[in-house]
């Protein structure tokens, strides 16, 4: 029974820790409905948490308006958000605000599900008049079912007239989807993997570890057939927008593009709302998206697939610091469905979970084509004379591959001409005015840019400290490598792919398309290139500078190094001609590089896991970070010391330590590490202690937050 007047509890769509109570006259908005409420001097959109006993002693304001008549999300998705709020210690209202398309957060209504029409079972006993109506009726007769979606308003009017006259009637579209072309005949390992996944009902988490080119995507496509045939929806996540087009193409070839929708942050707000509404009305079966697509309302969700699960982009870096992979697992558990995490280079967390039996391991150890994954040849840079940052051995190999009309790919994870501009006379490296990092020299644009905060300035002609004009670049970025290679190989087409050159996924796709079949050619790229793309004509991969990953203060840097090296190496030799990978380093005898030589990830991952175990780092302990930022360094210190006073008696803390980037965009940054033997202990204590941190007087002068799964420092 709906009560006629009462009280509801709401959270406003902002990271505010408390919930609020409002009075309602009329039907009580159910949990998950939006309401407009008076707040401060204005009004806000809030999410109803449902009816609540009225708190005594205060006079309640009434809500202004109930926006939704039905909850926006289904119960399991609401539960996921509640879990995400507790787990990441982030206010529920902020979680909702992150999970909903912006337009819903502003009070817009979701699109209504379109109607579907078929011929009436008992059409009127007279002839139909009007050519347009006749045409439309013929179209319905031919198609069987006609969807209103995308029809012009005049056609929609026509439809209504036909319906009113009894010629057509509403129907529900068939939901079962079958593939429109057969899949590839699977190789034995694919077959075995698929056999494990197929027919699984309920929560089943899989880790599909398959070397690059082993046919993981083919396994996804065939695994999807079962839920799709049963009329369920499938959610596919990729780490970057740039990876959506190729996955979309493969899904569209297999199942038809009319069943697919995409969702990502590069879409306009209107497009996002439309995709979201299509998800909720069950109108599409296959959803492909990035991190935020995890929160699409899918009433018949039957499977989740998270590709490149190791990718750090699955972790949100500001606001609600969630991991879409970890919450994906939770969503699958709540929805009681299978989930596949796929990667050639799984995260150490997932490998650990597989060891513990929390993930069911599936393996594709060889490529689908006959070419084995290449070995990685280590070249020592010590005492060598480099040209354009390249070792002579690598240059020679490049020349001979190009002479044979092949493609060569260089991986260099540094944009710009040189990572720093240094005064030759006094040694001053020109820093960002707002960050504790040198500015990157972009020679072509004649500018210095900060890659952390976006600050830019004109290229100075003199050293700001001593006035000398002897300024020189230090280190090599992709722009310089390109210049050098153009000079060295003047007749070879060169494509550079980094964020300076490629601004949108569309542009990336176009450029890749162009270069794909030009021979000979050189490709230069940052990590943008290392992810998931196929380059069948590449026979030589040069990995230029990954050494900083070997001695970074970020404990995850070595894991990232191993992943990027294997991923980039995997771009070589996919075609008929096989391939070579050369990695140049000043530390070729480093155990991690030695372990990578075989071209396989597993030996390197073993070393990394052992290291983490010995040093008691995740996944062998639970780690959280309290990060504080302020414009004055002492304030950060004061707050973190006070925080330590609260946390240290119960939890093991280390710090305060300056963040790797000590100052960013004018903010001084430092953190406290918090360690606990396991997550649940960490969590229980944080629930108790974080509110006390919130009450610290020092906290008012800093911006601070907690990250229970820190990925970047
Ligand atoms: P991954 O996702 O593991 O990198 P893909 O699924 O993209 O691998 O497959 C790599 C290449 O191998 C693609 O060109 C794909 O068409 C091909 N391929 C995959 N499975 C098979 C198979 N069973 N038989 C033949 N070719 C296959
Ligand atoms: Zn100087
Ligand atoms: Zn900066």
């Amino acid at each position: 029974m709906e009560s006629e007047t009462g009280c509801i509890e709401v959270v406003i769509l902002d990271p505010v820790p408390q919930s609020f109570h409002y009075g309602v006259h009329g039907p009580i908005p159910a949990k998950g409905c939006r309401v407009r409420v008076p707040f401060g001097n204005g009004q806000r959109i809030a999410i109803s948490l449902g009816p609540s006993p009225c708190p005594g002693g205060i006079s309640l304001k009434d809500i202004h308006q109930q926006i939704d008549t039905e909850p926006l999300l289904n119960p399991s998705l609401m539960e996921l958000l509640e879990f995400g709020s507790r787990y990441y210690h982030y206010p529920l209202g902020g979680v909702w605000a992150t999970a909903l398309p912006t337009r819903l957060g502003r009070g817009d209504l979701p699109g209504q599900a379109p109607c579907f029409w078929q011929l009436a079972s008992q059409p009127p006993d007279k002839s139909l008049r009007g050519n347009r109506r006749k045409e439309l009726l013929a179209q319905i007769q031919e198609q069987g079912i006609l969807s209103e979606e995308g029809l012009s308003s005049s056609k929609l009017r026509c439809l209504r007239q036909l319906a009113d006259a009894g010629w057509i009637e509403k129907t529900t579209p068939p939901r079962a989807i079958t593939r429109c072309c057969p899949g590839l005949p699977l190789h034995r390992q694919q077959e075995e993997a698929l056999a494990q996944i197929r027919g699984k009902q309920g929560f089943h988490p899989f880790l599909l570890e398959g070397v690059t080119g082993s046919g993981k995507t083919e396994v996804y496509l065939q695994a999807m057939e079962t839920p799709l045939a049963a009329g369920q929806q499938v959610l596919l996540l990729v780490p970057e927008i740039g990876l959506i087009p190729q996955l979309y193409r493969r899904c569209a070839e297999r199942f038809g593009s009319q069943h697919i929708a995409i969702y990502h942050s590069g879409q306009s707000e209107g497009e996002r709302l439309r995709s979201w509404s299509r998800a909720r009305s069950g109108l599409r079966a296959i959803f492909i998206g990035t991190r935020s697509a995890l929160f699409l309302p899918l009433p018949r969700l039957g499977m989740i697939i998270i590709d490149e699960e190791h990718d750090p982009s699955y972790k949100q870096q500001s606001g609600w610091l969630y991991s879409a992979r970890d919450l994906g697992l939770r969503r699958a558990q709540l929805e009681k469905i299978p989930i596949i995490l796929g990667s050639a280079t799984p995260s150490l967390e997932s490998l650990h979970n597989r060891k513990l039996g929390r993930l069911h391991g599936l393996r594709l150890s060889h490529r689908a084509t006959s070419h084995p994954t290449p070995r990685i040849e280590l070249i020592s840079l010590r005492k060598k004379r480099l040209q354009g940052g390249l070792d002579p051995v690598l240059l020679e190999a490049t020349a001979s591959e190009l002479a044979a009309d092949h493609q060569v790919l260089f991986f260099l994870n540094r944009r710009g001409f040189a990572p720093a501009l240094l005064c030759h006379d006094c040694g001053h490296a020109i820093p960002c005015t707002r960050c504790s990092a040198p500015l990157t020299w972009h020679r072509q644009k004649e500018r210095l840019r900060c890659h952390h905060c976006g600050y830019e300035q004109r290229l100075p002609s003199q050293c700001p400290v001593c006035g000398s004009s002897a300024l020189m670049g230090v280190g090599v970025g992709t722009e310089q490598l390109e210049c050098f290679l153009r000079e060295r190989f003047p007749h070879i087409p060169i494509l550079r792919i980094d964020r300076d050159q490629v601004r949108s996924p569309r542009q990336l796709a176009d450029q890749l398309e162009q270069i794909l079949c030009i021979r000979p050619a050189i490709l230069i790229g940052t990590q943008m290139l290392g992810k998931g793309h196929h380059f069948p004509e590449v026979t030589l991969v040069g990995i230029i500078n990954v050494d900083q990953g070997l001695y970074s203060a970020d404990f995850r840097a070595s894991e990232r190094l191993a992943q990027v090296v294997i991923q980039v190496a995997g771009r070589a030799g996919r075609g008929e001609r096989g391939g070579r990978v050369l990695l140049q380093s000043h530390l070729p005898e480093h155990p991690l590089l030695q372990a990578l030589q075989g071209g396989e990830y597993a030996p390197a991952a073993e070393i990394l896991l052992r290291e983490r175990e010995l040093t008691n780092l995740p996944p062998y302990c639970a780690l959280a970070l309290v990060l504080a930022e302020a414009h004055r360094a002492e304030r950060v210190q004061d707050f973190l010391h006070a925080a330590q006073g609260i946390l240290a008696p119960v939890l093991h803390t280390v710090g305060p330590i300056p963040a790797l980037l000590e100052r960013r965009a004018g903010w001084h940054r430092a953190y406290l590490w918090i360690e606990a033997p396991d997550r649940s202990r960490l969590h229980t204590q944080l629930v108790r202690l974080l509110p006390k941190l919130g009450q610290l007087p020092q906290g008012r002068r800093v911006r601070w937050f907690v990250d229970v799964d820190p990925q970047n420092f």
Side-chain angles (χ1 to χ4, degrees):
M1 282 272 285
E2 281 175 344
S3 51
E4 282 304 301
T5 162
C7 173
I8 56 166
E9 188 179 356
V10 306
V11 286
I12 60 165
L13 285 174
D14 260 321
V16 182
Q18 350 31 1
S19 60
F20 300 92
H21 291 84
Y22 287 92
V24 181
H25 300 285
I28 300 285
K31 177 176 167 184
C33 289
R34 287 170 303 164
V35 290
R36 217 178 284 276
V37 296
F39 196 83
N41 292 329
Q43 56 171 7
R44 298 291 271 276
I45 308 273
I47 303 287
S48 164
L49 302 181
S52 145
C54 293
I58 47 168
S59 70
L60 280 187
K61 289 184 181 163
D62 290 340
I63 65 165
H64 283 168
Q65 184 202 358
Q66 171 166 2
I67 300 173
D68 304 299
T69 48
E70 281 170 42
L72 281 179
L73 308 178
N74 55 1
S76 62
L77 194 46
M78 288 200 266
E79 205 177 328
L80 181 73
L81 298 189
E82 280 155 20
F83 172 81
S85 164
R86 286 194 306 273
Y87 188 84
Y88 294 104
H89 302 275
Y90 194 70
L92 183 60
V95 165
W96 270 86
T98 312
L100 291 180
T102 332
R103 296 256 297 250
L104 289 180
R106 287 208 302 257
D108 285 9
L109 291 177
Q112 288 299 310
C115 294
F116 292 82
W117 298 94
Q118 63 184 10
L119 294 186
S121 44
Q122 287 167 327
D125 194 15
K126 55 184 179 191
S127 63
L128 177 63
R129 276 189 295 181
N131 281 342
R132 305 188 75 175
R133 269 172 259 169
K134 278 185 188 159
E135 256 169 47
L136 201 55
L137 198 68
Q139 191 185 346
I140 296 172
Q141 189 159 23
E142 192 187 305
Q143 292 181 0
I145 292 179
L146 183 72
S147 162
E148 278 184 355
E149 200 194 2
L151 293 189
S152 64
S153 50
S154 66
K155 275 202 171 163
L156 284 176
R157 220 164 25 241
C158 241
L159 271 181
R160 301 269 171 241
Q161 290 162 354
L162 287 173
D164 290 345
W167 291 93
I168 57 174
E169 60 194 20
K170 277 190 189 169
T171 178
T172 48
R175 286 170 167 170
I177 287 166
T178 50
R179 61 183 188 205
C180 45
C181 76
L184 296 170
L186 298 181
H187 60 72
R188 191 179 50 81
Q189 291 185 329
Q190 283 174 319
E191 200 67 75
E192 283 168 8
L194 189 64
Q196 295 283 321
I197 304 167
R198 206 176 247 163
K200 285 288 190 305
Q201 308 273 323
F203 175 57
H204 283 276
F206 296 100
L207 177 63
L208 176 59
E209 180 178 5
V211 300
T212 52
S214 59
K216 291 184 291 295
T217 313
E218 188 59 37
V219 172
Y220 303 153
L221 290 170
Q222 301 203 22
M224 285 159 64
E225 285 180 15
T226 318
L228 290 176
Q232 293 180 311
Q233 294 168 302
V234 175
L235 179 62
L236 283 153
L237 297 191
V238 291
E240 282 198 3
I241 301 176
L243 293 171
I244 293 177
Q246 62 179 34
L247 192 56
Y248 180 90
R249 202 171 330 121
R250 290 180 73 172
C251 286
E253 277 164 15
R254 191 64 55 86
F255 300 106
S257 58
Q258 73 275 23
H259 300 302
I260 311 174
I262 59 176
Y263 188 82
H264 58 78
S265 56
Q267 290 175 305
S268 71
E269 289 176 8
E271 284 173 320
R272 274 164 79 83
L273 181 58
R274 198 167 327 126
S275 285
W276 190 92
S277 305
R278 282 171 173 172
R280 189 162 88 131
S281 59
L283 204 58
R284 292 285 190 281
I286 302 170
F287 281 81
I288 305 175
T290 47
R291 185 172 68 219
S292 57
L294 179 69
F295 307 111
L296 282 172
L298 296 157
R300 307 189 310 274
L301 185 58
M303 179 178 280
I304 300 175
I305 295 169
I306 300 187
D307 196 21
E308 312 286 2
E309 65 86 27
H310 65 280
D311 199 297
S313 306
Y314 283 123
K315 180 83 197 293
Q316 170 114 331
Q317 292 300 337
S318 62
W320 181 29
L321 304 172
Y322 71 92
S323 149
R325 177 197 57 217
D326 297 349
L327 282 187
L329 282 164
R330 186 66 188 189
R331 183 163 188 190
Q333 197 174 32
L334 290 168
E335 309 258 8
K336 303 185 180 65
I337 57 171
I339 175 169
I340 308 172
L341 309 182
S343 176
T345 53
S347 61
L348 298 183
E349 274 75 10
S350 292
L351 291 177
H352 186 62
N353 282 335
R354 184 177 68 193
K355 276 190 185 160
L356 297 179
R358 292 185 195 145
L359 293 174
H360 186 92
L362 308 169
R363 219 174 295 227
L364 310 178
S365 59
H366 59 79
R367 286 186 170 178
T369 52
S370 52
H371 309 284
T373 46
R375 286 183 58 78
I376 295 169
E377 302 165 45
L378 304 177
I379 315 173
S380 172
L381 289 174
R382 287 208 291 265
K383 299 188 181 158
K384 294 280 195 51
R385 268 204 60 198
L386 308 184
Q387 297 179 57
L390 302 181
D391 186 277
V393 179
L394 180 51
L395 261 179
E396 251 164 60
T398 304
S400 76
E401 289 303 316
L402 294 173
D405 276 354
H406 297 161
Q407 286 185 350
V408 178
L409 185 156
F410 291 97
F411 171 75
L412 174 57
N413 214 4
R414 291 232 155 191
R415 289 181 290 133
F417 191 79
L421 191 65
L422 191 78
C423 171
H424 201 43
D425 287 344
C426 78
H428 178 68
I430 300 175
C432 174
T433 53
R434 313 193 299 159
C435 303
S436 51
L439 292 166
T440 299
W441 177 18
H442 290 255
R443 199 176 73 169
Q444 207 183 347
K445 297 249 156 58
E446 297 185 349
R447 292 187 86 77
L448 295 179
R449 273 193 198 145
C450 176
H451 288 188
H452 300 287
C453 74
Y455 169 83
E456 286 200 18
Q457 66 177 58
R458 281 225 321 274
L459 194 65
S461 52
Q462 292 180 325
C463 169
V465 174
C466 75
S468 158
S469 53
L471 298 176
M472 55 184 251
V474 201
V476 176
T478 47
E479 187 186 336
Q480 188 172 350
L481 184 59
E482 181 186 352
C483 284
F484 169 76
L485 290 168
R486 280 197 193 283
E487 236 161 73
R488 182 67 180 244
F489 304 104
H491 304 295
I492 306 288
I494 297 183
L495 178 67
R496 167 156 67 96
I497 295 194
D498 57 33
R499 260 196 292 142
D500 296 323
Q501 294 295 95
V502 183
R503 302 242 167 241
S504 70
R506 183 73 265 143
Q507 210 182 349
L508 176 62
D510 289 349
Q511 300 211 353
L512 289 177
E513 193 110 336
Q514 267 177 33
I515 197 85
L516 229 43
C517 38
I518 300 178
R519 280 192 345 234
I522 295 174
L523 289 93
I524 301 168
T526 54
Q527 59 182 0
M528 256 183 152
L529 272 190
K531 294 186 180 182
H533 303 284
H534 291 289
F535 304 104
E537 305 296 340
V538 167
T539 54
L540 173 65
V541 170
I543 301 177
I544 309 301
N545 184 6
V546 289
D547 281 358
Q548 67 267 31
L550 297 173
Y551 40 73
S552 168
D554 176 354
F555 75 88
R556 293 193 200 269
S558 47
E559 176 184 358
R560 304 251 192 276
L561 178 148
Q563 288 163 343
V564 91
V565 165
I566 294 293
Q567 293 282 351
V568 172
R571 308 301 128 201
R574 293 231 186 173
E576 295 304 307
R577 279 174 292 279
R580 259 183 105 182
V581 181
L582 301 182
L583 184 155
Q584 54 174 48
S585 166
H586 277 102
L587 297 163
E589 61 291 315
H590 192 286
L592 184 60
L593 294 184
Q594 291 286 322
L596 288 167
Q597 270 186 101
E600 287 174 28
Y601 178 64
E606 266 315 306
I607 290 185
L608 292 169
L609 273 170
R610 217 172 315 131
E611 235 174 60
R612 296 271 185 95
E613 189 169 16
L614 286 173
T615 47
N616 195 31
L617 283 167
Y620 295 94
C621 80
L623 184 67
L625 215 64
V626 177
L627 182 80
E629 302 180 324
H631 287 296
R632 293 210 345 233
E634 323 78 79
R635 291 194 170 157
V636 174
Q637 291 296 319
D638 287 352
F639 172 75
L640 289 178
H641 280 300
Q644 195 169 28
I646 292 174
L647 296 166
V650 228
L651 287 160
H652 182 216
T653 67
V654 182
I657 309 170
L660 281 193
L661 190 63
E662 226 181 304
R663 205 159 63 93
R664 187 170 70 190
W667 294 80
H668 290 269
R669 313 159 70 228
Y671 52 73
L672 269 184
W673 281 31
I674 310 168
E675 282 169 28
D678 59 73
R679 287 237 171 225
S680 70
R681 192 135 6 137
L682 178 68
H683 185 78
T684 326
Q685 294 302 340
L686 287 182
V687 167
R688 214 165 55 81
L689 299 175
L690 287 180
K692 295 191 186 171
L693 258 58
Q695 285 154 13
L696 282 174
Q698 292 92 332
R700 259 179 255 133
R701 314 168 123 222
V702 301
R703 206 156 73 170
W704 69 277
F705 43 92
V706 62
D707 187 347
V708 296
D709 171 33
Q711 299 282 330
N712 287 300
F713 296 88

